[in-house]
Amino acid sequence: MTNKAQIEIRTSPHAHSGADVVQIMRTVALTLLPLAGWGVWRYGLSAALLLLTTLLGCLLAERLFNRLRGQPSSLGDWSAVITGLLLGLSLPPGFPLWMGLVAAFAAIGLGKALFGGLGMNPFNPALVGRAFVQAAFPAAITTWTPALFDGRFTNPVPSTLAWPFLRPADISPWLHERAVDGFTGATPLALMKYEGQSIPLTDLLMGGGAGSIGEAALLILVCGLFLAFKRMLDWRIPLSIMASTALFAWLAQLFDPSAPGPLIMLCSGGLMLGAWFMATDMVGSPMTSLGVLIYGVLIGFVTEMIRLFGGLGEGVMYAILLGNAAAPLIDQWTQPRVFGAAKAKARKSA
Amino acid sequence: MFSLTQLFGRSTFSHGIHPPEHKAETAQRPIRRMPFPQQLVLPLNQHIGKPAVACVKKGQEVVRGEPIAEADSYVSVPLHAPATGRIRGIELMPSARGPRTPSILLDVYESATQEVLWGCERDLDSLSPEQLIQAVRETGMVGLGGAAFPSHVKLTPPTDHAVDTLVVNGCECEPYLTCDHRMMLEWTDALLLGTRIAMRCLGVAQAVIGVEDNKLDAVDAIAARIQPGSGISVKAVPTKYPQGAEKMLIKSVLNREVPPGGIPAQIGVVVNNVGTLSMLGRLLPKGEGLIERVVSVVGPGVERPGNYLVPIGTPVGFVLEQAGHEGRKSEIILGGPMMGTAVPSLDTPITKGTSGVLVLNEPAIDTESRLRSWPCIRCGRCLEACPMHLNPSMLGQLAAKREYEQMGEQYHLMDCFECGCCSYSCPSNIPLVQYFRIAKSILREKP
Ligand code: SF4
Ligand code: SF4
């Protein structure tokens, strides 16, 4: 028979779904690995080194800020791993490693620790890190290298190992040496926008000739769907971003037939990575069912506007940051109707 | 989120959760009588409202069924002796409701036949609704689903509302519990009699028995016994928690919504539990008191799980001895896992409102993720689970900041009925319901 010491007292509910933050974070982090692997295959040693740098940089920064704030280590929650991988995936393959480290510290420090750690960060930390280096190193972040060039596993892109605080060397002679056919260093979007060239769709789906490490629309879709299926991301967010981006692109094309069409808009740049893995960051996105739809449409719309009218080829990053900023307000506006509330009004007025 | 059942047929409320049901172990086991313990502990406050007042003295002999405490006000019911024996005294004893409460202790005569020796047979058809309600009150009947609200009060809704429908709650949506299921199957006629009595008390022509669709055998059994023209119907509703919450069930079977802060009578409905009505159907014709009830004794820690007819006042420890219990570290819960109360003492008695004794033992209660909580990651799962459409995440954050007033005014804290769906779903394992209980009690105390 049980004696007194062995009786546990807890409050209801005594059952739990078993859902667990750590498990969610770990699954998301592991789901990014195929993307990272594919990026490394396409871009070689430089991509591998950069991903490692951002990953380790984020872990290091997380631990450091824990120390400074006198908290226990929060590395176990895997969220810094996600940030590190996402950050690396959103950078160009030949991005200097030291700048990658700066980006990692900006991501964790400015994007997360400043606001109080896990769950408190209004913006996606990886995007904060990327926005920071976009502003700090505008040249390096728009220097693209071709995919699948020869010797990519033995020789890193020269800019990768640039000395800290020195301007990385111009890599055009190096590019020329590789003699990559027709490589202009422009991203597919820029090609469309400034040179009126179109890019084969297969390139876009598998990761374009030039772009960030993690730009492989098809693979992102597969990984994202897997997470959505496991209920670890809210599928309504990528769906509404994709649908609205496509819709606005289609509308834009009605007015100006030379504008990129829906498919190109969807598959190019960071849109897919952003829609599936960054905008869906639970902390920075709204919580109500109507709210996430508004949020998605807002991001789609801003992306399209920046891509069409802005000076930057890439609008997703800013669009999502803006979406993050709007999320609390969107939540406020879309508070669910309390059960029975509307009926009560109707009866009163009746 | 849309659900298939909403699209294709059975209507229900939105949100809610689907915890594992764990009903298979006991759903097929017929109700069996449990023997009497040596001593019964009978708290005087087994119902919501004013505690009953003892009308027996220490040393007095009582026969089974005899009243031993009287109702003390309108919201109060009498208490009857569950066994023939001698009153040992009136003392403070542990109870499921928290602090020790005044209870009548009854030493059971071992050699007694334990026949019910007290009652007054009645011809129910000749009674007026008022007399019927009085008869209900004399049985000491309370809601057996767990709330323990005196039945005669429930069957007398405020006269400023026109009640047109009786909804009978046969959902039993808490995991593990199957006592209502067994009563629907085995006491079908008593249930229908109880339903007719309740309809007459309320003066309504329509009654709907709502049963979750994991108990279709009960639906069939009831449907087969319903007399045509009785105004009673049975309706299967989707299985999900908390389908058995009054407001949810009314939404599911009648598609009416009780306004926030309101009561079902406002929209013309009174809800009673199937267990309550079947027990009424058994007791009223003989004019007996409520002295025993069906209790599901279940859980991974129980060796012979089943549904037992247990004398009121039986200590939980005795129930577990009878049903067999592995003596490991356990959580002993009166009621179901979602809304039941864990008890600190094996001396705690079964009362009128105890629907189950659930024993959760290691490792079910000891996983690491259950012991640690993380910050809210705003995943929104609690919003998707809350049947009242509240924002538990926001409420939780406000609770942490002690902004109780804002919780009440802006985020409808008082509409939370502590169903636990939010805590159940939260991957950060934040004790949301616990926060809300505290916040509610603080707000209630404020002038
Ligand atoms: S306990 Fe309250 S807040 Fe949580 S799901 Fe139930 S009603 Fe909603
Ligand atoms: S379920 Fe928990 S972690 Fe998710 S939003 Fe609600 S409180 Fe936050």
Side-chain angles (χ1 to χ4, degrees):
Chain A
M1 197 74 255
T2 308
N3 54 43
K4 220 170 178 135
Q6 284 177 300
I7 299 184
E8 286 282 312
I9 314 275
R10 295 187 194 155
T11 56
S12 67
H14 308 277
H16 192 258
S17 58
D20 168 359
V21 167
V22 177
Q23 184 204 336
I24 295 177
M25 296 284 180
R26 188 171 50 222
T27 312
V28 173
L30 294 180
T31 309
L32 287 170
L33 286 182
L35 277 173
W38 181 246
V40 169
W41 166 249
R42 310 266 306 165
Y43 297 107
L45 195 56
S46 290
L49 290 174
L50 183 59
L51 282 166
L52 262 180
T53 306
T54 53
L55 178 60
L56 293 179
C58 282
L59 292 174
L60 204 73
E62 180 92 0
R63 189 74 195 92
L64 186 79
F65 286 109
N66 285 155
R67 276 270 160 80
L68 289 178
R69 298 160 52 96
Q71 295 168 326
S73 166
S74 56
L75 294 185
D77 66 26
W78 286 74
S79 64
V81 178
I82 299 182
T83 303
L85 284 174
L86 271 181
L87 180 62
L89 288 170
S90 71
L91 292 171
F95 197 62
L97 297 185
W98 75 270
M99 294 182 183
L101 201 64
V102 171
F105 269 77
I108 297 293
L110 296 178
K112 193 168 165 196
L114 192 67
F115 296 102
L118 178 68
M120 314 294 283
N121 47 302
F123 301 103
N124 182 321
L127 283 176
V128 172
R130 194 185 190 279
F132 183 84
V133 288
Q134 174 105 44
F137 315 115
I141 209 159
T142 46
T143 304
W144 309 102
T145 49
L148 298 172
F149 61 84
D150 288 336
R152 61 190 187 279
F153 287 109
T154 44
N155 298 312
V157 181
S159 53
T160 295
L161 296 173
W163 279 102
F165 305 108
L166 290 184
R167 190 171 292 278
D170 184 8
I171 65 165
S172 42
W174 174 84
L175 278 175
H176 195 71
E177 238 173 75
R178 305 287 121 184
V180 187
D181 285 340
F183 184 80
T184 62
T187 62
L189 266 181
L191 281 177
M192 276 289 304
K193 185 167 175 178
Y194 302 112
E195 289 160 45
Q197 281 189 37
S198 64
I199 288 290
L201 199 61
T202 46
D203 259 14
L204 292 175
L205 289 175
M206 309 309 294
S212 305
I213 301 175
E215 282 175 21
L218 204 60
L219 192 57
I220 295 171
L221 192 66
V222 172
C223 295
L225 282 173
F226 165 78
L227 283 182
F229 184 74
K230 298 215 103 189
R231 287 201 61 214
M232 293 189 180
L233 60 75
D234 187 341
W235 56 275
R236 293 168 299 187
I237 294 175
L239 193 81
S240 59
I241 294 180
M242 286 164 58
S244 60
T245 305
L247 177 75
F248 293 126
W250 176 74
L251 283 176
Q253 238 185 359
L254 283 187
F255 289 102
D256 172 8
S258 72
L263 252 179
I264 299 201
M265 274 300 187
L266 281 182
C267 299
S268 62
L271 190 98
M272 291 298 275
L273 191 68
W276 285 93
F277 286 95
M278 291 171 162
T280 48
D281 181 358
M282 293 162 177
V283 181
S285 56
M287 286 189 288
T288 64
S289 12
L290 179 61
V292 290
L293 295 182
I294 297 177
Y295 170 80
V297 172
L298 177 74
I299 291 173
F301 178 73
V302 175
T303 303
E304 185 70 18
M305 288 300 116
I306 297 181
R307 282 185 173 182
L308 287 180
F309 306 112
L312 302 153
E314 186 50 68
V316 183
M317 177 180 78
Y318 291 110
I320 296 175
L321 285 171
L322 202 75
N324 288 161
L329 204 59
I330 297 177
D331 265 340
Q332 199 85 74
W333 288 338
T334 56
Q335 279 305 309
R337 171 185 75 91
V338 176
F339 181 87
K343 283 266 167 78
K345 259 183 220 154
R347 281 183 88 86
K348 242 178 242 163
S349 61
Chain B
M1 295 276 281
F2 78 94
S3 75
L4 288 178
T5 42
Q6 261 172 325
L7 268 183
F8 303 115
R10 286 177 189 151
S11 60
T12 182
F13 65 99
S14 60
H15 298 187
I17 55 175
H18 295 93
E21 294 171 27
H22 294 294
K23 305 234 185 197
E25 295 163 36
T26 51
Q28 303 309 320
R29 293 179 196 244
I31 299 167
R32 284 195 303 158
R33 201 170 274 281
M34 188 164 274
F36 288 89
Q38 282 177 338
Q39 192 183 69
L40 295 172
V41 180
L42 300 150
L44 289 166
N45 67 344
Q46 298 194 30
H47 51 264
I48 287 176
K50 209 156 175 221
V53 175
C55 56
V56 287
K57 286 190 298 288
K58 184 173 173 174
Q60 185 177 333
E61 281 195 342
V62 292
V63 295
R64 186 162 185 231
E66 180 183 341
I68 51 173
E70 289 161 352
D72 191 33
S73 72
Y74 178 57
V75 189
S76 186
V77 287
L79 182 62
H80 303 77
T84 295
R86 188 187 297 275
I87 304 293
R88 172 181 279 265
I90 300 170
E91 289 172 24
L92 290 178
M93 293 296 286
S95 82
R97 293 191 177 199
R100 297 162 82 85
T101 50
S103 312
I104 298 176
L105 302 187
L106 175 61
D107 287 332
V108 178
Y109 285 166
E110 257 175 73
S111 50
T113 57
Q114 297 301 2
E115 249 176 273
V116 180
L117 295 172
W118 187 92
C120 43
E121 244 163 79
R122 265 187 283 233
D123 173 26
L124 294 174
D125 293 332
S126 65
L127 299 184
S128 70
E130 289 73 29
Q131 287 168 321
L132 259 184
I133 290 172
Q134 185 54 33
V136 168
R137 184 176 192 187
E138 279 162 19
T139 62
M141 181 58 73
V142 302
L144 299 185
F149 196 78
S151 295
H152 68 278
V153 181
K154 217 164 178 186
L155 292 176
T156 322
T159 44
D160 46 345
H161 302 298
V163 171
D164 55 46
T165 307
L166 168 71
V167 169
V168 186
N169 186 348
C171 289
E172 199 164 43
C173 58
E174 279 261 14
Y176 288 104
L177 304 187
T178 55
C179 54
D180 285 357
H181 188 178
R182 288 315 305 180
M183 285 188 266
M184 287 189 276
L185 286 175
E186 296 178 42
W187 299 354
T188 321
D189 285 333
L191 166 62
L192 292 170
L193 175 61
T195 306
R196 282 201 300 278
I197 293 168
M199 288 166 76
R200 274 184 58 206
C201 292
L202 292 165
V204 300
Q206 180 184 215
V208 189
I209 306 176
V211 183
E212 278 193 336
D213 57 10
N214 59 355
K215 297 179 259 292
L216 289 175
D217 54 345
V219 175
D220 292 342
I222 295 170
R225 308 293 299 173
I226 289 179
Q227 268 150 29
S230 62
I232 303 174
S233 60
V234 56
K235 191 170 178 188
V237 292
T239 299
K240 77 171 165 178
Y241 179 86
Q243 188 68 263
E246 277 191 350
K247 293 184 177 187
M248 305 306 130
L249 181 59
I250 296 171
K251 169 79 180 167
S252 295
V253 299
L254 298 176
N255 198 22
R256 299 185 198 172
E257 288 187 19
V258 181
I263 56 167
Q266 272 169 270
I267 53 165
V269 184
V270 165
V271 183
N272 266 262
N273 186 267
V274 283
T276 314
L277 294 187
S278 16
M279 194 53 106
L280 263 185
R282 282 165 66 91
L283 297 179
L284 267 185
K286 292 181 281 175
E288 292 177 0
L290 175 63
I291 54 172
E292 57 192 2
R293 64 156 299 151
V294 185
V295 179
S296 294
V297 186
V298 281
V302 175
E303 280 160 13
R304 288 178 297 281
N307 290 294
Y308 296 92
L309 194 54
V310 183
I312 305 284
T314 305
V316 168
F318 181 81
V319 170
L320 291 182
E321 262 169 46
Q322 297 295 315
H325 168 227
E326 311 166 19
R328 279 190 290 164
K329 183 160 128 188
S330 311
E331 204 183 359
I332 295 165
I333 295 154
L334 296 190
M338 297 304 296
M339 294 186 81
T341 337
V343 291
S345 161
L346 289 170
D347 298 332
T348 312
I350 301 291
T351 57
K352 294 177 178 179
T354 311
S355 49
V357 175
L358 169 64
V359 182
L360 299 178
N361 55 9
E362 308 169 276
I365 56 172
D366 261 350
T367 56
E368 204 213 325
S369 63
R370 292 288 284 124
L371 300 176
R372 164 151 196 200
S373 67
W374 301 84
C376 170
I377 55 165
R378 295 173 42 89
C379 67
R381 290 185 187 197
C382 50
L383 274 88
E384 254 175 49
C386 178
M388 289 308 294
H389 300 202
L390 308 180
N391 184 338
S393 158
M394 186 53 92
L395 283 168
Q397 282 166 39
L398 290 172
K401 288 191 258 167
R402 295 170 195 269
E403 311 236 359
Y404 302 120
E405 241 124 66
Q406 205 188 347
M407 290 171 76
E409 280 158 23
Q410 255 178 290
Y411 292 94
H412 313 279
L413 173 67
M414 286 310 181
D415 287 306
C416 165
F417 64 103
E418 302 174 21
C419 65
C421 290
C422 50
S423 290
Y424 176 86
S425 319
C426 177
S428 287
N429 205 24
I430 301 170
L432 295 163
V433 182
Q434 186 57 8
Y435 283 174
F436 304 161
R437 271 190 207 114
I438 296 168
K440 279 165 81 175
S441 63
I442 288 175
L443 277 189
R444 270 198 212 101
E445 270 168 31
K446 286 219 167 112

